[in-house]
Amino acid sequence: ALDAARSTLLDAGNPSFVVVTTEGQRCALGPIVYSARGPAFAAAATVGAGALIVGREAEGSRSSFSVWDAASSQRVLRRDEIAEKPIGGNELI
């Protein structure tokens, strides 16, 4: 679920949350990206079983991605990432 939502969350603002439904190995993203966890959980409650909330919060070059089970509100995964900078600090073209 995290890999399916990662690019959407990177393009969205900070913080950002999306509802992901899972069926077997398939994941489907909800149509709306939320800027707070509460509305994302409320939307997931209307989806039913198998709904997850995937979120991203960033500070500087660090991003934290989390996955919550919508039914229990428990975090089931957290992945921290640090954006790499090119040698010399110049942007790559």
Side-chain angles (χ1 to χ4, degrees):
L2 175 58
D3 293 333
R6 188 176 185 281
S7 63
T8 299
L9 295 172
L10 286 171
D11 291 340
N14 179 40
S16 54
F17 304 89
V18 68
V19 177
V20 178
T21 55
T22 59
E23 187 176 315
Q25 295 291 333
R26 296 176 41 188
C27 294
L29 298 180
I32 300 172
V33 177
Y34 300 92
S35 61
R37 243 181 292 170
F41 274 99
T46 65
V47 173
L52 301 170
I53 307 296
V54 181
R56 172 184 172 265
E57 298 176 87
E59 184 176 324
S61 62
R62 296 178 183 267
S63 289
S64 176
F65 293 89
S66 297
V67 178
W68 291 271
D69 177 32
S72 66
S73 299
Q74 295 293 316
R75 184 178 4 218
V76 294
L77 175 72
R78 179 176 172 163
R79 182 191 303 169
D80 294 320
E81 297 181 5
I82 299 174
E84 294 183 10
K85 295 193 180 206
I87 296 174
N90 297 326
E91 294 296 321
L92 298 175
I93 296 176

